[in-house]
């Protein structure tokens, strides 16, 4: 057997590995620097090139014919007395929409040019929504000239725009969304909408019928719920509701009541009806110098709003003074959703001290009566003290069971009473028992009075009844722990 010869492995020199790593790092550094210095080529920004397609005096326009996918075609005619709707002598235009139609017909400016149909045989009108356009408009001029244009689909870009074609021109343009909106109104959409223009301070009664019915009325000492139950309402909550009513606006005209299928819109019968009683008022006329000229007394009257179905998630129908209109949830949605629960008064002691005539506390079979008077402040010169506006200043004088007491101590206790709130509702079905309350306070105002009574509910709570109606519960100690002088 021949001996096997083995090769002895060579040893790698120690300096070789660091040298290789250093060379590799140097090569990567040079490559990074080379790439860093290489200029980056960015695409040129796209700049729109507006094109004026027509510029004529609006006074020369005699007729504008509009066809769109939203409704039947219609025509606007310019007369010596202004613009009118063809076939509708009594048509009242919404000024802003009429101006947009006329201005965009007189001056037609495209935002940009897409290209020529002749240079792109693969392009067809249907590719841009121009074969069956969203709107087709014919403009006729008093000198016999005319033009027609089409507005197609929206352009797939970040800034809203639409494809546009001036008939007789083989170029495809883009046009702004404002032009599209001007010519896609229905005839009814151009009709003026009469908003209620309500003054919340003159509303004396609000009645909701249909869904969630309730009625609220204004009295001398504040607002009260009168149906389905009797209960005082929060001044702040009612002020908010009145402000909403004052800001009520309608979005679009639909048609006259006699010409509209009310049943298809949820208006026969309505889903809900809101009736407002408007108080008598005095209107004063002024001249150019701001001086009062004459006064006219307007009698009290009622306004009624019949509310119908939703057309979409944000638009619903409303019948108002013989006109069917569209309203949005943003300005009028509260008419459909308003409930009386958020309006209820949670602070039953709300009489201001300048209108508080007296207070009677009933507890443990005894009555303690407090009577309040206002006494003018008299200066050393025997003149009445007044504030900066000239109003006479008063001090509150309090008597307990006919005897004078410390007014400041009484007012401190009364402020604690006014601060009390009752936020938790009673269990459903709980009714006021036939027995006398454990504790009660009756306060008298100049025009009304209110009795707030506490009845046992459980070991930790009282039921609070306001003039015999109990809606809330409070923890024991509420009101009865106040220290009266």
């Amino acid at each position: 057997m021949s001996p096997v010869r083995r090769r002895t492995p060579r040893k790698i020199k120690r300096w070789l590995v660091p040298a290789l790593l250093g060379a590799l790092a140097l090569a990567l550094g040079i490559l990074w620097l080379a790439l860093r210095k290489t200029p980056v080529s960015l695409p040129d920004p796209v700049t729109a090139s507006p094109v004026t397609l027509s510029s004529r005096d609006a006074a020369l326009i005699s007729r504008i014919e509009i066809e769109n996918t939203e409704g039947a075609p219609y025509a606007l005619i310019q007369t010596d007395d202004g613009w009118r709707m063809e076939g509708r002598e009594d048509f009242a235009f919404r000024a802003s929409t009429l101006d947009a139609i006329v201005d965009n017909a007189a001056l037609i400016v495209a935002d940009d040019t897409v290209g020529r149909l002749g240079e792109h045989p693969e392009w067809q009108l249907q590719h841009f929504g121009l074969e069956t356009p969203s709107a087709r408009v014919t403009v006729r001029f008093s000198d016999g000239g005319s033009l027609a244009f089409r507005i197609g689909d929206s352009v797939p870009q970040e800034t809203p725009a639409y494809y546009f074609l001036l008939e007789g021109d083989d170029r495809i343009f883009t046009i702004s969304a404002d032009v599209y909106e001007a010519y896609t109104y229905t005839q009814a959409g151009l009709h003026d909408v009469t908003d209620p223009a309500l003054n919340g301070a003159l509303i004396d009664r609000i009645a909701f019928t249909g869904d969630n019915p309730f009625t609220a009325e204004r009295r001398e000492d504040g607002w009260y719920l009168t149906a389905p139950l009797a209960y005082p309402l929060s001044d702040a909550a009612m002020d908010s509701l009145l402000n909403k009513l004052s800001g009520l606006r309608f979005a679009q005209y639909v048609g006259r009541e006699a010409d509209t299928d009310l049943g298809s819109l949820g208006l026969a019968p309505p889903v809900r009806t809101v009736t407002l009683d408007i108080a008598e008022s005095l209107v004063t006329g002024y001249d150019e110098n701001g001086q009062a000229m004459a006064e006219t007394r307007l009698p009290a009257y009622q306004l009624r709003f019949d509310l119908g179905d939703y057309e979409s998630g944000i638009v619903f129908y409303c019948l108002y003074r013989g006109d069917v209109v569209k309203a949005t949830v943003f300005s009028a949605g509260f008419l459909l959703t308003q409930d009386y629960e958020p309006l209820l008064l949670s602070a039953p002691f709300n009489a201001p001290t300048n209108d508080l005539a007296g207070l009677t506390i009933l507890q443990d079979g005894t009555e303690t009566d407090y009577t309040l008077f206002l006494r003018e402040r008299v200066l050393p010169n025997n003149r009445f003290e007044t504030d900066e506006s000239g109003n006479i200043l008063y001090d509150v004088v309090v008597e307990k069971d006919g005897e004078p007491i410390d007014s400041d101590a009484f007012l401190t206790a009364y402020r604690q009473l006014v601060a009390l709130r009752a936020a938790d509702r009673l269990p459903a079905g709980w009714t006021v028992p036939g027995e006398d309350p454990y504790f009660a306070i009756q306060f008298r105002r100049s025009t009304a009075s209110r009795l707030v009574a506490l009845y046992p509910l459980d070991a930790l709570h009282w039921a609070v009844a306001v003039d015999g109606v109990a809606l809330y519960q409070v923890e024991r100690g509420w009101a009865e722990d106040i220290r009266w002088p």
Side-chain angles (χ1 to χ4, degrees), residues 74-77 82-86 88 90-98 101 187 190-193:
Y74 55 89
L76 283 63
I77 302 172
W83 287 92
R84 66 178 179 85
M85 182 70 69
E86 186 176 50
R88 296 283 302 276
D90 61 342
F91 193 92
F93 285 100
R94 181 181 289 190
S96 59
T97 55
L98 176 62
I101 288 175
Q187 185 181 105
L190 299 182
H191 198 287
D192 188 33
V193 179

Side-chain angles (χ1 to χ4, degrees), residues 122-441:
E122 73 279 9
W123 287 1
Q124 301 295 322
L125 291 181
Q126 63 263 29
H127 296 153
F128 306 95
L130 291 167
E131 184 171 9
T132 306
S134 300
R136 182 180 184 274
V137 181
T138 302
V139 185
R140 304 189 187 279
F141 300 93
S142 56
D143 60 7
S146 67
L147 60 84
F149 57 82
R150 301 181 182 191
I151 303 174
D153 293 340
S154 60
V155 181
Q157 63 182 31
E158 184 177 352
T159 303
Y162 292 81
Y163 293 113
F164 182 91
L165 174 71
L166 182 66
E167 293 186 5
D169 191 326
D170 76 336
R171 290 174 292 177
I172 303 294
F173 301 98
T174 61
I175 205 80
S176 70
D178 292 342
V179 180
Y180 168 84
E181 292 172 358
Y183 297 108
T184 50
Y185 283 106
T186 63
Q187 185 181 105
L190 299 182
H191 198 287
D192 188 33
V193 179
T194 302
D195 292 320
L198 294 168
N199 181 352
L202 296 178
I203 300 175
D204 280 346
R205 184 176 179 272
I206 306 173
F208 290 83
T209 57
D211 288 351
N212 299 322
F214 71 91
T215 303
E217 67 178 36
R218 188 197 301 265
R219 298 176 183 171
E220 291 188 66
D221 60 328
W223 280 88
Y224 284 81
L225 184 72
T226 59
L229 51 91
Y231 206 82
L233 299 177
S234 164
D235 289 338
M238 286 304 302
D239 285 344
S240 176
L241 176 57
L242 294 173
N243 286 336
K244 292 178 184 178
L245 288 168
S246 298
L248 186 61
R249 299 292 182 270
F250 296 129
Q252 186 175 317
Y253 180 85
V254 176
R256 294 291 300 168
E257 177 182 6
D259 303 328
T260 307
D261 182 3
L262 300 181
S264 66
L265 306 181
L267 292 168
V271 174
R272 200 181 201 197
T273 295
V274 183
T275 304
L276 307 178
D277 284 14
I278 312 299
E280 179 183 298
S281 60
L282 191 65
V283 178
T284 304
Y286 297 88
D287 60 19
E288 63 275 7
N289 298 319
Q291 300 298 316
M293 294 176 57
E295 291 183 340
T296 301
R297 188 170 296 278
L298 300 179
Y301 63 98
Q302 277 192 340
L303 284 182
R304 171 173 168 160
F305 303 87
D306 287 338
L307 313 177
D309 293 337
Y310 280 93
E311 181 195 54
S312 64
I314 60 173
V315 176
F316 62 94
Y317 295 101
C318 178
L319 175 60
Y320 170 69
R321 285 193 163 181
D323 288 334
V324 178
V325 295
K326 294 180 182 179
T328 68
V329 296
F330 305 111
S331 65
F334 70 96
L335 296 176
L336 283 168
T337 60
Q338 183 67 58
D339 191 10
Y340 68 80
E341 286 279 348
L343 305 176
L344 296 174
L345 180 66
S346 60
F349 304 100
N350 65 341
T353 53
N354 62 357
D355 191 44
L356 182 65
L359 191 74
T360 301
I361 300 176
L362 302 92
Q363 188 173 22
D364 298 330
T366 62
E367 292 187 8
T368 304
D369 185 73
Y370 297 90
T371 305
L372 280 72
F373 307 92
L374 293 178
R375 179 179 297 165
E376 300 90 344
R377 293 183 185 178
V378 181
L379 297 172
N381 59 2
N382 289 327
R383 299 176 68 94
F384 292 133
E385 184 178 355
T386 60
D387 60 15
E388 296 178 354
S389 301
N391 299 311
I392 298 175
L393 298 177
Y394 295 86
D395 288 323
V396 177
V397 179
V398 184
E399 293 182 354
K400 176 181 179 181
D401 295 330
E403 297 295 330
I405 62 170
D406 185 349
S407 299
D408 289 338
F410 174 86
L411 293 176
T412 298
Y414 185 71
R415 281 192 289 269
Q416 292 178 271
L417 191 69
V418 171
L420 294 175
R421 298 291 184 272
D424 297 326
R425 291 297 301 268
L426 283 167
W430 192 91
T431 58
V432 176
E435 60 194 43
D436 291 337
Y438 167 77
F439 177 82
I441 296 179

